[in-house]
């Protein structure tokens, strides 16, 4: 089994590389990919850099060049659902692109002809995430994630995304990875730690939270790998 692990920023994969210790670094398409083995599984780890285009390129490379058969994407997101707090962990049930707009042609926000507004994540990987969360005594939330090439720190925009997409959290990469995995028939899971409330204080909260959340997310991903190895 070959499994891809993605983050958007280098801080999000550094704890994983520290844990595995020994890995090979390969450069491709202006990015770095790290390969290693763990409990009989082949792993390829990468951070995409911020934004939908970079995330799409990285996910496609992980699948088409490195042969990933499953993809785990961890990182941070801003809360849209008022019940979510900084530090909460969310697994996506589905993802949508909030900045995709061809409503002038009568289509709903986030829709592409021959596509759909939402892309569902893999149910078995979600179930695995819940199993890990229970074992670690973590309350794992489920919900919709809305993705766009914007760091949301405006209350009006936040409410529009929340209402329009019934979204619980927002970030800048997940839905594009979902589109790639869906098109290439690769099971995937998107995990997000809530870093901010997507409001005027988002920038401060995000910087403060990123490093600590990356360590916790890495531990969660490693536990998922343990479960996959035992399956």
């Amino acid at each position: 089994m070959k499994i891809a692990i993605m983050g958007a920023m280098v801080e999000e994969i550094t704890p994983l590389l520290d844990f595995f210790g020994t890995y090979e670094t390969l450069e491709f398409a202006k990015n770095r990919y790290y390969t290693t083995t763990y409990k009989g599984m082949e792993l390829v780890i990468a951070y995409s850099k911020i934004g939908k285009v970079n995330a799409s390129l990285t996910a496609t490379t992980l699948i088409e060049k490195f042969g990933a058969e499953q993809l785990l994407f961890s990182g941070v997101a801003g809360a849209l659902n008022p019940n979510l707090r900084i530090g909460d962990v969310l697994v996506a049930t589905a993802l949508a692109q909030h900045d995709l707009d061809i409503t002038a042609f009568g289509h709903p926000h986030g829709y592409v002809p021959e596509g759909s507004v939402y892309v569902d994540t893999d149910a078995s990987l979600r179930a695995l995430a819940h199993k890990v969360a229970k074992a670690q005594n973590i309350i794992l939330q489920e919900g919709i994630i809305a993705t766009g090439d914007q760091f949301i720190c405006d209350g009006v925009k936040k409410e529009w995304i929340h209402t329009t997409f019934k979204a619980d959290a927002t970030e800048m990469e997940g839905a594009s990875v979902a589109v790639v995995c869906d098109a290439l028939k690769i099971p995937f899971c998107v995990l997000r730690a809530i870093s901010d409330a997507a409001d005027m204080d988002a920038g401060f909260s995000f910087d403060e939270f990123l490093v600590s959340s990356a360590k916790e997310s890495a531990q969660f991903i490693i536990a998922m790998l343990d479960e996959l190895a035992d399956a």
Side-chain angles (χ1 to χ4, degrees):
M1 174 70 72
K2 181 169 281 191
I3 299 173
I5 305 171
M6 268 187 72
M9 295 171 285
V10 66
E11 292 89 346
E12 292 172 338
I13 68 164
T14 296
L16 287 166
L17 298 178
D18 290 343
F19 174 81
F20 295 118
T22 302
Y23 48 84
E24 183 178 357
T25 304
L26 299 96
E27 294 193 7
F28 180 79
K30 296 186 178 180
N31 207 353
R32 295 184 183 89
Y33 296 82
Y34 306 92
T35 60
T36 189
T37 57
Y38 180 68
K39 295 189 174 181
M41 298 176 292
E42 296 180 69
L43 306 179
V44 55
I45 304 166
Y47 71 96
S48 62
K49 295 173 284 191
I50 294 168
K52 294 194 299 179
V53 172
N54 287 325
S56 297
L57 173 61
T58 301
T60 303
T61 300
L62 287 166
I63 296 164
E64 291 295 293
K65 181 174 177 61
F66 290 94
E69 298 168 86
Q70 296 187 16
L71 190 150
L72 308 177
F73 190 9
S74 70
V76 294
L80 299 175
N81 186 327
N83 294 320
L84 289 173
R85 298 288 181 265
I86 292 174
D88 286 350
V89 183
L90 179 77
V91 60
T93 54
L95 299 100
Q97 299 180 70
H98 69 71
D99 60 348
L100 179 54
D101 184 354
I102 54 170
T103 55
F105 299 98
H107 298 298
H109 287 281
Y111 177 78
V112 172
E114 300 183 40
S116 61
V117 174
Y118 301 97
V119 179
D120 294 333
T121 57
D122 182 73
S124 61
L125 287 176
R126 287 203 313 270
L128 185 67
H130 280 287
K131 181 179 180 181
V132 167
K134 184 176 181 181
Q136 294 188 356
N137 200 29
I138 294 171
I139 298 173
L140 181 62
Q141 312 278 356
E142 278 196 351
I144 294 170
I145 291 177
T147 299
D149 281 320
Q150 304 161 351
F151 184 82
I152 303 300
C153 55
D154 174 81
V156 174
K157 185 69 173 179
K158 169 184 174 178
E159 185 57 33
W160 180 85
I161 297 170
H162 177 53
T163 302
T164 303
F165 294 94
K166 297 180 174 58
D168 298 284
T170 183
E171 36 86 294
M172 299 179 65
E173 298 83 22
S176 56
V177 172
V179 170
V180 169
C181 290
D182 180 63
L184 297 175
K185 296 180 171 55
I186 297 297
F188 70 101
C189 182
V190 178
L191 291 158
R192 292 288 182 260
I194 299 302
S195 60
D196 59 84
D199 55 19
M200 291 180 66
D201 295 324
F204 173 79
S205 301
F206 181 87
D207 291 339
E208 187 178 72
F209 186 75
L210 178 59
V211 173
S212 62
S213 70
K215 292 178 181 177
E216 293 171 6
S217 295
Q219 293 171 355
F220 197 97
I221 290 292
I222 291 162
M224 288 187 70
L225 292 175
D226 290 338
E227 292 292 336
L228 287 168
D230 293 338

